[in-house]
Amino acid sequence: MTALSLLSAIPASAQSLADRLDFSMYGRVGIAWAPTSGDFIQGRSLNLTGNSLGGRLEEGDYLEPSLKIHLLKPSAEDLATNQDSPYAHAVITPAMWANNGLFIALTSNRGAQTLTFELGEAYVEAGNLLAPGLKFWGGARYYRGTNVYLADYWYFNNLSSQGLGVQYKGLDAAVLLQTSINGSQYNFDANGDGVLDVRRQRTILVGQYKQPFGAGHYAQLLGELHALPQTTASILGDRTVLPSDIGWVAGIKSHLKFGNDSYNELSVRYGSRIANGGQAGSPTWVTFGAPAANGKYGNARSLEVVEHLLYNVNPLLSLNAYGTLHLGQGASGGVKDRFTDFSVGAQSTVYLHKNFHLMNEASFQGVRDADSPLATAVKLSLVPTLVPTGQASPFARPHLRLFYTLAFYNQQAVDTLHSPYLQTVGGKSIGHFLGGRVEWWI
């Protein structure tokens, strides 16, 4: 039965389709120039990690519309008598972006497979069915907490996956599944024909607890248990081709409210064995490095530390700052089987006029690959921005912005072409990025 069929089965008093559909969206679309070289740099990040750690201004075009379908929506009369009335809704969230840094407007008639389409969410949530405040969900969803907007980084508990979960007040538990069509951790070529014909999946048990302390403060605990089953190949006489392994994660996060919408967040997360993901902000299930001689990750580990601050100084000025650190190693024990990356950044927003904000951004970042010298970069950005809503907030949208970013690379970064931008324009110690972008969310 389709969602619309379900809606048509709802009593006539509650049949309005407009009342049962909620639409939201995030989007960014823009243009870019390399003013000193003329190279095509749309979506080619200046950052050493290749993603947005160190600043997101150079990000490529991206659209993420979301549709929520209320399958069971309490009426105003129901809520007046019972705030914990049962509800159920389905959420569908596709995501679209342009391949290889192309403009998102270059659809298939001007370039094969330009537009990439991904289904980010497809899940159902139901609540207040057995007890007030008790929620259940199942499907694929963005299962995560807060993010560092300046670095487009969902940290601490980015567990977006397919699975099922239950939540009651501050307690949140889920069972998630992960696999891949690539990689030796999940796949094996049993007959040597070059086709990965044996596959397994990772099961992740997640437990989280959030304890409020009043005035908007809270502390959050995170625990994860990862398991990969032993996998055999019948074509090889049921011989074990992928050994079983486990991993675990523990983390803690604090959130302090300062009033005037200002806050500070600090989180620490440690991952062990196959849950040692974290390089450049990757999820814990993206296992880093090589296994030990027995094929397992007994000595692998990782650490993530994130600091995030928003301080609305006065009606004319807001300051937003962050710091990230990722350290880790694989299980092989080799000096090259490790990673280090960090970034610190800050942005000031000056409200020169209710419709004109001047943003200034700076960051310092570093990456050490294995035992190589540290590659570093400094970025400075000037971002004049039009804000139609007139809201004095760093998160007011939509934005119509121009920006110019100047990047300074050390010799190690230049020699290794350690950013998508350097890989495009060549080994230069100074990078220039001029762009225009619109960004919105509803």
Side-chain angles (χ1 to χ4, degrees):
M1 183 180 290
T2 66
L4 291 178
S5 300
L6 287 171
L7 292 176
S8 66
I10 295 170
S13 61
Q15 273 191 9
S16 171
L17 184 60
D19 289 341
R20 297 190 171 272
L21 294 179
D22 292 338
F23 178 76
S24 59
M25 186 179 190
Y26 170 79
R28 62 175 184 263
V29 179
I31 51 179
W33 296 270
T36 59
S37 67
D39 291 295
F40 184 85
I41 57 170
Q42 176 82 355
R44 306 298 286 170
S45 174
L46 293 157
N47 297 324
L48 300 177
T49 58
N51 57 24
S52 295
L53 292 178
R56 65 183 297 174
L57 290 171
E58 310 97 66
E59 285 182 323
D61 300 342
Y62 181 84
L63 300 174
E64 187 182 280
S66 185
L67 184 66
K68 178 188 287 188
I69 307 167
H70 293 277
L71 305 175
L72 176 62
K73 184 177 182 179
S75 65
E77 292 80 8
D78 293 334
L79 293 174
T81 58
N82 180 13
Q83 288 292 321
D84 295 315
S85 297
Y87 70 88
H89 57 248
V91 176
I92 303 293
T93 307
M96 293 160 279
W97 64 95
N99 266 331
N100 302 318
L102 293 174
F103 303 119
I104 203 166
L106 293 178
T107 48
S108 58
N109 63 326
R110 283 181 285 173
Q113 300 179 343
T114 297
L115 188 65
T116 299
F117 181 92
E118 180 181 275
L119 187 60
E121 293 189 301
Y123 72 94
V124 169
E125 180 181 311
N128 302 325
L129 299 183
L130 302 177
L134 184 61
K135 304 176 184 178
F136 301 89
W137 67 269
R141 70 177 300 178
Y142 293 139
Y143 186 51
R144 59 197 184 188
T146 54
N147 76 329
V148 176
Y149 168 78
L150 292 181
D152 198 7
Y153 180 34
W154 299 89
Y155 62 99
F156 184 64
N157 60 347
N158 183 7
L159 295 161
S160 301
S161 297
Q162 191 155 321
L164 52 88
V166 59
Q167 182 179 354
Y168 181 68
K169 297 183 178 179
L171 184 63
D172 191 341
V175 180
L176 311 174
L177 298 178
Q178 283 288 332
T179 190
S180 174
I181 61 173
N182 302 306
S184 59
Q185 191 169 51
Y186 296 103
N187 303 277
F188 187 79
D189 177 11
N191 57 14
D193 64 355
V195 177
L196 300 172
D197 43 24
V198 177
R199 178 172 299 153
R200 63 177 174 176
Q201 66 187 17
R202 177 187 301 231
T203 301
I204 307 169
L205 304 180
V206 180
Q208 301 183 76
Y209 181 71
K210 183 183 290 186
Q211 176 61 54
F213 293 106
H217 310 315
Y218 68 81
Q220 185 172 356
L221 300 177
L222 167 69
E224 303 173 25
L225 179 63
H226 297 224
L228 282 169
Q230 175 179 290
T231 304
T232 61
S234 57
I235 195 173
L236 299 176
D238 292 328
R239 176 170 66 86
T240 298
V241 293
L242 296 171
S244 62
D245 210 344
I246 61 171
W248 58 268
V249 173
I252 185 169
K253 172 184 170 183
S254 67
H255 179 95
L256 302 177
K257 293 278 285 187
F258 301 138
N260 195 28
D261 295 326
S262 301
Y263 61 85
N264 183 82
E265 292 187 332
L266 174 64
S267 71
V268 180
R269 188 191 71 201
Y270 181 85
S272 179
R273 299 183 64 104
I274 63 170
N276 76 331
Q279 183 183 26
S282 61
T284 54
W285 61 74
V286 182
T287 305
F288 172 83
N294 62 359
K296 299 190 177 186
Y297 283 80
N299 196 38
R301 55 187 180 269
S302 69
L303 176 70
E304 176 196 77
V305 181
V306 176
E307 163 67 20
H308 185 210
L309 170 70
L310 174 63
Y311 180 40
N312 293 308
V313 180
N314 54 48
L316 297 177
L317 175 66
S318 293
L319 299 176
N320 196 185
Y322 66 92
T324 70
L325 172 67
H326 302 103
L327 303 169
Q329 68 174 46
S332 68
V335 294
K336 295 185 178 298
D337 196 16
R338 60 186 64 174
F339 67 86
T340 302
D341 65 75
F342 66 84
S343 63
V344 290
Q347 181 191 81
S348 65
T349 302
V350 183
Y351 308 111
L352 298 177
H353 182 275
K354 69 175 185 177
N355 300 121
F356 181 73
H357 301 171
L358 180 61
M359 298 187 296
N360 308 279
E361 192 168 319
S363 70
F364 176 64
Q365 55 194 282
V367 174
R368 187 188 303 277
D369 299 314
D371 59 347
S372 300
L374 183 69
T376 64
V378 174
K379 290 172 59 181
L380 304 172
S381 300
L382 184 65
V383 194
T385 304
L386 292 177
V387 184
T389 63
Q391 182 184 2
S393 166
F395 302 120
R397 294 297 183 275
H399 270 187
L400 296 87
R401 64 173 81 112
L402 295 174
F403 66 93
Y404 172 67
T405 298
L406 190 63
F408 302 91
Y409 297 101
N410 76 344
Q411 196 58 47
Q412 176 66 13
V414 173
D415 291 344
T416 56
L417 301 179
H418 219 301
S419 75
Y421 175 88
L422 289 178
Q423 293 159 19
T424 300
V425 305
K428 299 180 180 180
S429 61
I430 300 178
H432 302 267
F433 198 109
L434 179 63
R437 185 126 320 141
V438 294
E439 183 183 50
W440 69 95
W441 51 62
I442 56 174

